Amino acid sequence: MQFRDLKKQYDVLKESIDRSISSVLSSAHFISGVQVAELEEKLAEYVGVRHCITCANGTDALTIALMVWGVGEGDAVFVPDFTFFSSGECPAGVGATPIFVDVDARTYNIDPVKLEETILKVQKEKKYRPKAVVTVDLFGLPADYDAIRPICEKYGLLILEDGAQGFGGSLHGKRACSFGNISTTSFFPAKPLGCYGDGGAIFTDNDEWATLIRSICVHGKSGKDKYDNIRLGVNSRLDTLQAAILLPKFEAFKTYELDEVNQAADWYNEKMAGTGLVLPAIADGFVSSWAQYTVQLPEDIDRTKLQGELKKEDIPTMIYYRKPMHCQGAFAGTDSANADCPVTERLCRTVLSLPMHPYLMEDVVGAVIKAIQ
Ligand SMILES: *Cc1c(COP(=O)(O)O)cnc(C)c1O
């Protein structure tokens, strides 16, 4: 059994993907080929923002957004304690101090009440300037923007939506990657929309920032001339080959994969009711793109042993995430290590992510649940 069945997906889409790859090979435009611009246009339209700028990966996308805003030394950036490392690595990488905030036990996303408490605490201590919030749409579910946006407006904070796992999700019909002042995503193969290597994208409605992002992605070039470097940037582009792979994959994602993965989630939810496991909660108005299907085990279950037993039955499982951000070694001895996040600590002990993808069949979901029971 596959945890995320990329082989099956390729079998289904093989003809269109092969054709698309082949057209890049014969054109030999490996960097900034027409497929890149075509993809950016389609993604911006789908998400519902003015600009999409693709880049090399989701981590660069976050860093570039922070560079555009000039976030750095002395700035506090609020980040959920329960997320992939990049969400906190990037603010720290530009010199700011990530301040980790506890998450909601049912949605796994940043807890808006804790967010406001933490902002007030940082304000009071006066050591760092509250500057931005990295709102992560974890496991495919948009963060609680109805609650987060007013808080950010109240304290003058920018929202950087880390939609690496969230692409395709929505809230009140508005799509993920449109909720931030700048939003980002990742096309790492296992994400909801993945390519065949690394890739990422940055979304914004702000024309000025979009121009800056395009410049920073290509060594700080001027608008007119690639060899006129007017600021320091990075080299972060999506390869034409990856864009060509994403074009047919995006069609499949829009037309049926997103529906199918939600069907798989419904099967899990129905069949798992009454097992005593805590299931992922999707509130009214929210749609998840199910980057992961993550349950919580009772505290007295030996998770490692359960994983071993499941593995014997050819059922792969993963632990996202094992360690709270504030406990990561990279932050040891820094102010980022000081965080009060009991919910995250419990989740790190009890979560288990199950096989999840659009090509999952009902009988396979049944077999996973039977084995767990
Ligand atoms: C995967 C991921 C990233 C980083 O994306 P890459 O393309 O792997 O650099 C950032 N944030 C979150 C929440 C992620 O899951």
Side-chain angles (χ1 to χ4, degrees), residues 205-291:
D205 275 322
N206 185 305
D207 300 344
E208 205 176 307
W209 291 342
T211 304
L212 261 174
I213 293 163
R214 287 210 182 274
S215 167
I216 291 171
C217 284
V218 186
H219 306 288
K221 66 170 178 158
S222 77
K224 294 172 223 87
D225 179 0
K226 188 174 150 187
Y227 296 102
D228 180 22
N229 307 94
I230 57 175
R231 60 178 62 83
L232 296 179
V234 293
N235 173 20
S236 188
R237 285 175 293 219
L238 184 73
D239 294 348
T240 310
L241 273 170
Q242 298 303 344
I245 289 157
L246 281 164
L247 281 167
K249 288 190 72 172
F250 178 51
E251 283 307 311
F253 181 83
K254 282 195 297 192
T255 50
Y256 68 88
E257 283 187 352
L258 195 53
D259 292 333
E260 299 284 306
V261 81
N262 272 280
Q263 172 64 259
D266 288 344
W267 288 329
Y268 267 124
N269 291 339
E270 282 162 27
K271 293 172 202 289
M272 206 105 79
T275 55
L277 300 177
V278 180
L279 308 183
I282 311 296
D284 281 349
F286 287 80
V287 174
S288 177
S289 57
W290 296 104

Coordinates of all heavy atoms in Angstrom, one line a residue, residues 205-291:
D205 N -2.0 40.1 -4.2 CA -2.8 41.0 -5.0 C -2.1 42.4 -5.1 O -2.5 43.2 -5.8 CB -4.1 41.3 -4.2 CG -5.2 40.3 -4.5 OD1 -5.3 39.9 -5.7 OD2 -6.0 39.9 -3.6
N206 N -0.9 42.5 -4.4 CA -0.2 43.8 -4.4 C 0.8 43.9 -5.6 O 1.8 43.1 -5.7 CB 0.5 43.9 -3.1 CG 1.2 45.2 -2.9 OD1 2.0 45.6 -3.7 ND2 0.9 45.8 -1.8
D207 N 0.5 44.8 -6.5 CA 1.4 44.9 -7.7 C 2.8 45.2 -7.4 O 3.7 44.7 -8.1 CB 0.8 46.1 -8.6 CG -0.6 45.8 -9.0 OD1 -1.1 44.7 -8.9 OD2 -1.3 46.8 -9.5
E208 N 3.0 46.1 -6.5 CA 4.4 46.5 -6.1 C 5.2 45.3 -5.6 O 6.3 45.1 -6.0 CB 4.3 47.6 -5.1 CG 5.5 48.6 -5.0 CD 5.1 49.7 -4.0 OE1 4.0 50.3 -4.1 OE2 5.9 49.8 -3.0
W209 N 4.6 44.6 -4.7 CA 5.3 43.4 -4.1 C 5.5 42.4 -5.2 O 6.6 41.8 -5.2 CB 4.4 42.8 -3.0 CG 4.3 43.7 -1.7 CD1 5.2 44.7 -1.4 CD2 3.4 43.5 -0.7 NE1 4.8 45.2 -0.2 CE2 3.7 44.5 0.3 CE3 2.3 42.7 -0.4 CZ2 2.9 44.7 1.4 CZ3 1.5 42.9 0.7 CH2 1.9 43.9 1.6
A210 N 4.6 42.2 -6.1 CA 4.7 41.2 -7.2 C 6.0 41.6 -8.0 O 6.8 40.7 -8.3 CB 3.5 41.2 -8.0
T211 N 6.2 42.9 -8.3 CA 7.3 43.3 -9.1 C 8.6 43.0 -8.3 O 9.6 42.4 -8.8 CB 7.3 44.8 -9.4 OG1 6.0 45.0 -10.0 CG2 8.4 45.2 -10.2
L212 N 8.6 43.3 -7.0 CA 9.7 43.0 -6.1 C 10.0 41.5 -6.1 O 11.2 41.1 -6.2 CB 9.4 43.5 -4.7 CG 10.0 44.8 -4.3 CD1 9.5 45.2 -2.9 CD2 11.5 44.7 -4.3
I213 N 9.0 40.7 -6.0 CA 9.2 39.2 -5.9 C 9.8 38.7 -7.2 O 10.8 37.9 -7.1 CB 7.8 38.5 -5.7 CG1 7.3 38.8 -4.3 CG2 8.0 37.0 -5.8 CD1 5.8 38.5 -4.1
R214 N 9.3 39.2 -8.3 CA 9.9 38.8 -9.6 C 11.4 39.1 -9.7 O 12.2 38.4 -10.3 CB 9.2 39.4 -10.8 CG 7.8 38.7 -11.0 CD 7.3 38.7 -12.5 NE 6.0 38.2 -12.6 CZ 5.8 36.9 -12.7 NH1 6.8 36.0 -12.8 NH2 4.5 36.4 -12.7
S215 N 11.7 40.3 -9.1 CA 13.1 40.7 -9.2 C 14.0 39.9 -8.2 O 15.0 39.4 -8.6 CB 13.1 42.2 -8.7 OG 14.5 42.6 -8.4
I216 N 13.5 39.7 -7.0 CA 14.3 38.9 -6.0 C 14.5 37.5 -6.5 O 15.6 36.9 -6.3 CB 13.6 38.9 -4.6 CG1 13.6 40.3 -4.0 CG2 14.2 37.9 -3.7 CD1 12.8 40.5 -2.8
C217 N 13.5 36.9 -7.2 CA 13.6 35.5 -7.6 C 14.8 35.4 -8.6 O 15.3 34.2 -8.8 CB 12.3 35.0 -8.3 SG 11.1 34.6 -7.1
V218 N 15.1 36.4 -9.3 CA 16.2 36.4 -10.4 C 17.3 37.4 -10.0 O 17.5 38.4 -10.7 CB 15.6 36.6 -11.8 CG1 16.6 36.3 -12.9 CG2 14.4 35.7 -12.0
H219 N 18.0 37.1 -8.9 CA 19.2 37.9 -8.6 C 18.9 39.4 -8.5 O 19.8 40.2 -8.8 CB 20.3 37.7 -9.6 CG 20.6 36.2 -9.8 ND1 21.3 35.5 -8.8 CD2 20.3 35.3 -10.8 CE1 21.4 34.2 -9.2 NE2 20.8 34.1 -10.4
G220 N 17.7 39.8 -8.1 CA 17.5 41.2 -7.9 C 17.5 42.0 -9.3 O 17.9 43.2 -9.3
K221 N 17.1 41.4 -10.4 CA 17.2 42.0 -11.7 C 16.3 43.3 -11.7 O 15.3 43.3 -11.0 CB 16.8 41.1 -12.8 CG 15.3 40.6 -12.7 CD 14.9 39.8 -13.9 CE 13.4 39.4 -13.6 NZ 12.7 39.1 -14.8
S222 N 16.6 44.2 -12.6 CA 15.6 45.3 -12.9 C 14.5 44.8 -13.8 O 14.6 43.7 -14.3 CB 16.4 46.5 -13.5 OG 16.5 46.2 -14.9
G223 N 13.5 45.5 -13.9 CA 12.3 45.1 -14.7 C 12.7 44.9 -16.1 O 12.1 44.1 -16.8
K224 N 13.7 45.6 -16.6 CA 14.0 45.7 -18.0 C 15.1 44.7 -18.4 O 15.1 44.0 -19.5 CB 14.5 47.1 -18.4 CG 13.4 48.1 -18.3 CD 13.9 49.5 -18.5 CE 13.4 50.5 -17.6 NZ 14.1 50.7 -16.3
D225 N 16.1 44.5 -17.5 CA 17.3 43.8 -18.0 C 17.8 42.8 -16.9 O 18.0 43.2 -15.7 CB 18.4 44.9 -18.2 CG 19.7 44.2 -18.6 OD1 19.8 43.0 -18.7 OD2 20.7 45.0 -18.9
K226 N 17.9 41.6 -17.3 CA 18.3 40.5 -16.4 C 19.7 40.7 -15.8 O 20.0 40.3 -14.8 CB 18.2 39.2 -17.2 CG 18.4 37.9 -16.4 CD 18.2 36.8 -17.4 CE 19.1 35.6 -16.9 NZ 19.0 34.5 -17.9
Y227 N 20.5 41.5 -16.6 CA 21.9 41.7 -16.1 C 22.1 43.0 -15.5 O 23.2 43.5 -15.2 CB 22.9 41.4 -17.3 CG 22.8 40.0 -17.7 CD1 22.1 39.7 -18.9 CD2 23.4 39.0 -17.0 CE1 21.9 38.3 -19.3 CE2 23.2 37.7 -17.4 CZ 22.5 37.3 -18.5 OH 22.4 36.0 -18.9
D228 N 21.0 43.7 -15.2 CA 21.1 45.0 -14.4 C 20.5 44.6 -13.0 O 19.3 44.5 -12.8 CB 20.2 46.0 -15.1 CG 20.2 47.4 -14.4 OD1 21.2 47.6 -13.6 OD2 19.3 48.2 -14.6
N229 N 21.4 44.4 -12.1 CA 21.0 43.9 -10.8 C 20.9 45.1 -9.8 O 21.9 45.6 -9.3 CB 22.0 42.9 -10.3 CG 22.2 41.8 -11.3 OD1 23.1 41.9 -12.1 ND2 21.3 40.8 -11.3
I230 N 19.6 45.4 -9.5 CA 19.4 46.6 -8.7 C 19.2 46.3 -7.2 O 19.1 47.3 -6.4 CB 18.2 47.4 -9.2 CG1 16.9 46.6 -9.3 CG2 18.5 48.0 -10.6 CD1 15.7 47.3 -9.7
R231 N 19.2 45.1 -6.8 CA 19.1 44.7 -5.4 C 19.7 43.3 -5.2 O 19.9 42.6 -6.2 CB 17.7 44.8 -4.9 CG 16.7 43.8 -5.6 CD 15.3 43.9 -5.0 NE 14.7 45.2 -5.1 CZ 14.1 45.7 -6.2 NH1 14.0 44.9 -7.3 NH2 13.6 46.9 -6.3
L232 N 19.9 42.9 -4.0 CA 20.3 41.5 -3.8 C 19.1 40.6 -3.8 O 18.1 40.9 -3.2 CB 21.0 41.4 -2.4 CG 22.3 42.1 -2.3 CD1 22.9 41.9 -0.9 CD2 23.4 41.7 -3.3
G233 N 19.2 39.5 -4.5 CA 18.1 38.6 -4.6 C 18.6 37.2 -4.4 O 19.6 36.9 -3.7
V234 N 17.9 36.2 -5.0 CA 18.3 34.8 -5.0 C 18.1 34.2 -6.4 O 17.6 34.9 -7.3 CB 17.5 34.0 -3.9 CG1 17.8 34.5 -2.5 CG2 16.0 34.1 -4.2
N235 N 18.5 33.0 -6.6 CA 18.1 32.3 -7.8 C 17.1 31.3 -7.5 O 17.4 30.2 -6.9 CB 19.4 31.6 -8.4 CG 19.0 30.8 -9.6 OD1 18.0 31.0 -10.2 ND2 19.9 29.9 -9.9
S236 N 15.8 31.6 -7.7 CA 14.8 30.7 -7.3 C 13.7 30.8 -8.4 O 12.8 31.7 -8.4 CB 14.2 31.2 -5.9 OG 13.3 30.2 -5.5
R237 N 13.7 29.8 -9.3 CA 12.8 29.7 -10.3 C 12.2 28.3 -10.4 O 12.9 27.3 -10.0 CB 13.4 30.0 -11.7 CG 13.7 31.5 -11.9 CD 14.5 31.8 -13.1 NE 15.8 31.2 -13.1 CZ 16.9 31.9 -13.5 NH1 16.8 33.0 -14.2 NH2 18.1 31.3 -13.5
L238 N 11.0 28.2 -11.0 CA 10.4 26.9 -11.3 C 10.9 26.5 -12.6 O 10.8 27.2 -13.6 CB 8.9 26.9 -11.3 CG 8.2 25.6 -11.5 CD1 8.3 24.7 -10.2 CD2 6.7 25.8 -11.8
D239 N 11.5 25.3 -12.8 CA 12.0 24.8 -14.1 C 10.8 24.7 -15.0 O 9.7 24.3 -14.6 CB 12.6 23.4 -13.9 CG 13.8 23.3 -13.1 OD1 14.4 24.4 -12.8 OD2 14.3 22.2 -12.8
T240 N 11.1 24.9 -16.3 CA 10.1 24.7 -17.3 C 9.5 23.3 -17.3 O 8.3 23.1 -17.4 CB 10.6 25.0 -18.7 OG1 11.3 26.3 -18.7 CG2 9.5 25.1 -19.8
L241 N 10.4 22.3 -17.1 CA 10.0 20.9 -17.0 C 8.9 20.7 -15.9 O 7.9 20.0 -16.1 CB 11.2 20.0 -16.8 CG 11.9 19.5 -18.0 CD1 13.2 18.8 -17.6 CD2 11.0 18.6 -18.9
Q242 N 9.2 21.3 -14.7 CA 8.2 21.1 -13.6 C 6.9 21.8 -13.9 O 5.8 21.3 -13.6 CB 8.9 21.7 -12.3 CG 10.1 20.9 -11.9 CD 9.9 19.4 -11.7 OE1 8.8 18.9 -11.6 NE2 11.0 18.7 -11.7
A243 N 7.0 23.0 -14.6 CA 5.8 23.7 -15.0 C 5.0 22.8 -16.0 O 3.7 22.7 -15.9 CB 6.1 25.1 -15.6
A244 N 5.7 22.2 -16.9 CA 5.0 21.4 -17.9 C 4.4 20.1 -17.2 O 3.3 19.7 -17.7 CB 6.0 20.9 -18.9
I245 N 5.0 19.6 -16.2 CA 4.4 18.5 -15.4 C 3.2 19.0 -14.7 O 2.2 18.3 -14.6 CB 5.5 17.9 -14.5 CG1 6.5 17.1 -15.4 CG2 4.9 16.9 -13.5 CD1 7.9 16.9 -14.7
L246 N 3.3 20.2 -14.1 CA 2.2 20.7 -13.3 C 0.9 21.0 -14.1 O -0.2 20.9 -13.6 CB 2.6 21.9 -12.5 CG 3.5 21.6 -11.2 CD1 4.2 22.8 -10.7 CD2 2.6 21.1 -10.1
L247 N 1.1 21.4 -15.4 CA -0.1 21.8 -16.1 C -1.1 20.7 -16.2 O -2.3 20.9 -15.8 CB 0.4 22.4 -17.5 CG 0.9 23.8 -17.5 CD1 1.6 24.1 -18.9 CD2 -0.2 24.8 -17.2
P248 N -0.8 19.5 -16.7 CA -1.8 18.5 -16.7 C -2.2 18.0 -15.3 O -3.3 17.6 -15.1 CB -1.1 17.3 -17.5 CG 0.3 17.6 -17.6 CD 0.5 19.1 -17.4
K249 N -1.2 18.0 -14.4 CA -1.6 17.6 -13.0 C -2.6 18.6 -12.4 O -3.5 18.2 -11.6 CB -0.3 17.5 -12.2 CG 0.5 16.3 -12.5 CD 1.6 16.0 -11.6 CE 1.1 15.4 -10.3 NZ 2.1 15.0 -9.3
F250 N -2.4 19.9 -12.7 CA -3.4 20.9 -12.2 C -4.8 20.6 -12.8 O -5.8 20.8 -12.0 CB -2.9 22.3 -12.5 CG -3.8 23.4 -12.0 CD1 -4.3 23.4 -10.7 CD2 -4.1 24.4 -12.9 CE1 -5.1 24.4 -10.3 CE2 -5.0 25.4 -12.5 CZ -5.5 25.4 -11.2
E251 N -4.9 20.3 -14.0 CA -6.2 20.0 -14.6 C -6.8 18.8 -13.9 O -8.0 18.9 -13.5 CB -6.0 19.6 -16.1 CG -5.8 20.7 -17.1 CD -6.8 21.9 -16.9 OE1 -8.1 21.5 -16.9 OE2 -6.5 23.0 -16.8
A252 N -6.1 17.8 -13.6 CA -6.6 16.6 -12.9 C -7.0 17.0 -11.5 O -8.1 16.6 -11.0 CB -5.6 15.5 -12.9
F253 N -6.2 17.8 -10.9 CA -6.4 18.3 -9.5 C -7.8 19.0 -9.4 O -8.6 18.7 -8.5 CB -5.3 19.2 -9.1 CG -5.4 19.8 -7.7 CD1 -5.0 19.0 -6.6 CD2 -6.0 21.0 -7.4 CE1 -5.1 19.5 -5.3 CE2 -6.1 21.5 -6.1 CZ -5.6 20.7 -5.1
K254 N -8.0 20.0 -10.4 CA -9.2 20.8 -10.4 C -10.4 19.9 -10.7 O -11.5 20.1 -10.1 CB -9.1 21.8 -11.5 CG -8.3 23.0 -11.2 CD -8.6 24.1 -12.2 CE -8.3 23.7 -13.6 NZ -8.3 24.9 -14.6
T255 N -10.3 19.1 -11.7 CA -11.5 18.4 -12.3 C -11.9 17.2 -11.4 O -13.1 17.0 -11.3 CB -11.3 18.0 -13.8 OG1 -10.1 17.3 -13.9 CG2 -11.3 19.2 -14.7
Y256 N -11.0 16.5 -10.8 CA -11.5 15.4 -10.0 C -10.7 15.0 -8.8 O -11.3 14.5 -7.8 CB -11.7 14.1 -10.9 CG -10.4 13.5 -11.4 CD1 -9.7 12.6 -10.6 CD2 -9.9 13.9 -12.6 CE1 -8.5 12.0 -11.1 CE2 -8.7 13.3 -13.1 CZ -8.0 12.4 -12.3 OH -6.9 11.9 -12.8
E257 N -9.4 15.3 -8.7 CA -8.6 14.8 -7.6 C -9.1 15.4 -6.3 O -9.1 14.7 -5.2 CB -7.1 15.1 -7.8 CG -6.5 14.2 -8.8 CD -5.0 14.4 -8.8 OE1 -4.4 15.4 -8.3 OE2 -4.3 13.6 -9.5
L258 N -9.4 16.7 -6.3 CA -9.8 17.4 -5.1 C -11.1 16.7 -4.5 O -11.3 16.5 -3.3 CB -10.0 18.9 -5.3 CG -10.1 19.8 -4.1 CD1 -9.0 19.6 -3.1 CD2 -10.2 21.3 -4.6
D259 N -12.1 16.4 -5.5 CA -13.3 15.7 -5.1 C -13.0 14.3 -4.5 O -13.6 13.9 -3.5 CB -14.3 15.6 -6.3 CG -14.8 17.0 -6.7 OD1 -14.9 17.9 -5.8 OD2 -15.1 17.1 -7.9
E260 N -12.1 13.6 -5.2 CA -11.8 12.3 -4.9 C -11.1 12.2 -3.5 O -11.5 11.3 -2.7 CB -10.9 11.6 -5.9 CG -11.5 11.5 -7.3 CD -12.6 10.5 -7.4 OE1 -12.2 9.3 -7.1 OE2 -13.7 10.8 -7.9
V261 N -10.3 13.1 -3.2 CA -9.6 13.0 -1.9 C -10.5 13.4 -0.8 O -10.5 12.8 0.3 CB -8.3 13.9 -1.9 CG1 -8.6 15.4 -1.7 CG2 -7.3 13.4 -0.9
N262 N -11.5 14.2 -1.1 CA -12.6 14.5 -0.1 C -13.5 13.3 0.1 O -14.0 13.1 1.2 CB -13.3 15.8 -0.4 CG -12.7 17.0 0.1 OD1 -12.8 17.3 1.3 ND2 -11.9 17.7 -0.7
Q263 N -13.7 12.5 -1.0 CA -14.5 11.3 -0.9 C -13.7 10.3 0.1 O -14.3 9.7 0.9 CB -14.6 10.7 -2.3 CG -15.2 9.3 -2.3 CD -16.7 9.3 -1.8 OE1 -16.9 8.9 -0.6 NE2 -17.6 9.8 -2.6
A264 N -12.4 10.2 -0.1 CA -11.6 9.3 0.7 C -11.7 9.7 2.2 O -11.8 8.9 3.1 CB -10.2 9.3 0.2
A265 N -11.7 11.1 2.4 CA -11.8 11.6 3.8 C -13.2 11.2 4.4 O -13.3 10.8 5.6 CB -11.6 13.1 3.8
D266 N -14.2 11.3 3.6 CA -15.6 10.9 4.0 C -15.6 9.5 4.4 O -16.2 9.1 5.5 CB -16.6 11.2 2.9 CG -16.9 12.7 2.7 OD1 -16.5 13.5 3.6 OD2 -17.5 13.0 1.7
W267 N -15.0 8.6 3.6 CA -14.9 7.2 4.0 C -14.3 7.0 5.3 O -14.7 6.2 6.2 CB -14.2 6.4 2.9 CG -15.0 6.2 1.6 CD1 -16.4 6.2 1.5 CD2 -14.5 6.1 0.3 NE1 -16.7 6.0 0.2 CE2 -15.6 6.0 -0.6 CE3 -13.2 6.1 -0.2 CZ2 -15.4 5.9 -2.0 CZ3 -13.0 6.0 -1.6 CH2 -14.1 5.9 -2.4
Y268 N -13.1 7.6 5.5 CA -12.4 7.5 6.8 C -13.3 7.9 7.9 O -13.4 7.2 8.9 CB -11.1 8.4 6.8 CG -9.9 7.7 6.4 CD1 -9.1 8.2 5.3 CD2 -9.4 6.5 7.0 CE1 -7.9 7.5 4.9 CE2 -8.2 5.9 6.7 CZ -7.4 6.4 5.6 OH -6.3 5.8 5.2
N269 N -13.9 9.1 7.8 CA -14.7 9.7 8.8 C -15.9 8.8 9.2 O -16.1 8.5 10.4 CB -15.2 11.1 8.4 CG -14.1 12.1 8.4 OD1 -13.1 11.9 9.0 ND2 -14.4 13.2 7.6
E270 N -16.6 8.3 8.2 CA -17.7 7.4 8.4 C -17.3 6.1 9.1 O -17.9 5.7 10.1 CB -18.4 7.0 7.1 CG -19.3 8.0 6.5 CD -19.5 7.7 5.0 OE1 -19.5 6.5 4.6 OE2 -19.7 8.7 4.2
K271 N -16.3 5.5 8.6 CA -15.9 4.1 9.1 C -15.2 4.2 10.4 O -15.1 3.2 11.1 CB -15.0 3.4 8.1 CG -15.7 3.1 6.8 CD -14.7 2.6 5.7 CE -15.2 2.7 4.3 NZ -16.3 1.7 4.0
M272 N -14.7 5.4 10.7 CA -13.8 5.5 11.9 C -14.7 6.0 13.1 O -14.2 5.9 14.3 CB -12.7 6.6 11.7 CG -11.5 6.4 12.5 SD -10.2 5.7 11.6 CE -9.6 7.1 10.7
A273 N -15.9 6.4 12.8 CA -16.8 6.9 14.0 C -16.9 5.8 15.0 O -17.2 4.6 14.6 CB -18.1 7.4 13.4
G274 N -16.8 6.1 16.2 CA -16.9 5.0 17.3 C -15.7 4.2 17.6 O -15.7 3.3 18.4
T275 N -14.6 4.6 17.0 CA -13.3 3.8 17.3 C -12.6 4.4 18.5 O -11.6 3.8 18.9 CB -12.3 3.9 16.1 OG1 -12.1 5.2 15.7 CG2 -12.8 3.1 14.9
G276 N -13.0 5.6 18.9 CA -12.3 6.2 20.1 C -11.1 7.1 19.6 O -10.5 7.7 20.5
L277 N -10.9 7.1 18.3 CA -9.8 8.0 17.8 C -10.4 9.4 17.6 O -11.6 9.5 17.3 CB -9.3 7.5 16.5 CG -8.7 6.1 16.5 CD1 -8.3 5.7 15.1 CD2 -7.5 6.0 17.5
V278 N -9.6 10.4 17.8 CA -10.0 11.8 17.5 C -9.7 12.0 16.1 O -8.6 11.9 15.6 CB -9.2 12.8 18.4 CG1 -9.7 14.2 18.1 CG2 -9.4 12.5 19.9
L279 N -10.8 12.4 15.3 CA -10.7 12.6 13.9 C -10.5 14.0 13.6 O -10.9 14.9 14.3 CB -12.0 12.1 13.2 CG -12.5 10.6 13.6 CD1 -13.7 10.2 12.8 CD2 -11.3 9.7 13.4
P280 N -9.9 14.3 12.4 CA -9.7 15.7 12.0 C -11.1 16.4 11.8 O -12.0 15.9 11.2 CB -9.0 15.7 10.7 CG -9.1 14.3 10.2 CD -9.4 13.4 11.4
A281 N -11.2 17.6 12.4 CA -12.5 18.4 12.4 C -12.4 19.4 11.3 O -11.5 20.3 11.2 CB -12.7 19.0 13.7
I282 N -13.4 19.4 10.4 CA -13.5 20.4 9.4 C -14.8 21.2 9.6 O -15.9 20.7 9.5 CB -13.6 19.8 7.9 CG1 -12.5 18.7 7.7 CG2 -13.6 20.9 6.9 CD1 -11.1 19.2 7.8
A283 N -14.7 22.5 10.1 CA -15.8 23.3 10.5 C -16.6 23.7 9.3 O -16.1 23.7 8.1 CB -15.4 24.5 11.3
D284 N -17.9 24.1 9.5 CA -18.7 24.6 8.4 C -18.0 25.8 7.7 O -17.4 26.6 8.3 CB -20.0 25.2 9.0 CG -21.0 24.1 9.3 OD1 -20.7 22.9 8.9 OD2 -22.0 24.3 10.0
G285 N -18.1 25.7 6.4 CA -17.5 26.8 5.6 C -16.1 26.5 5.1 O -15.6 27.1 4.2
F286 N -15.5 25.5 5.7 CA -14.1 25.1 5.3 C -14.1 23.9 4.4 O -15.0 23.0 4.5 CB -13.3 24.7 6.6 CG -12.9 25.8 7.5 CD1 -13.8 26.4 8.4 CD2 -11.6 26.4 7.4 CE1 -13.4 27.4 9.3 CE2 -11.3 27.4 8.3 CZ -12.2 27.9 9.2
V287 N -13.2 23.9 3.4 CA -12.9 22.7 2.6 C -11.4 22.4 2.7 O -10.6 23.3 2.6 CB -13.3 22.9 1.1 CG1 -12.9 21.8 0.3 CG2 -14.8 23.2 1.0
S288 N -11.1 21.2 3.0 CA -9.7 20.8 3.1 C -9.3 20.1 1.8 O -10.1 19.5 1.1 CB -9.5 19.8 4.2 OG -8.2 19.3 4.3
S289 N -8.0 20.3 1.5 CA -7.4 19.5 0.3 C -6.7 18.3 0.8 O -6.0 17.6 0.0 CB -6.5 20.4 -0.5 OG -5.5 21.0 0.2
W290 N -6.8 18.0 2.1 CA -6.3 16.7 2.7 C -4.9 16.4 2.3 O -4.6 15.3 1.7 CB -7.3 15.6 2.3 CG -8.6 15.8 2.9 CD1 -9.8 16.2 2.3 CD2 -9.0 15.7 4.3 NE1 -10.8 16.3 3.2 CE2 -10.3 16.0 4.5 CE3 -8.3 15.3 5.5 CZ2 -11.0 16.0 5.7 CZ3 -8.9 15.3 6.7 CH2 -10.3 15.6 6.8
A291 N -4.0 17.3 2.6 CA -2.5 16.9 2.4 C -2.2 15.7 3.3 O -1.4 14.9 2.9 CB -1.7 18.1 2.8

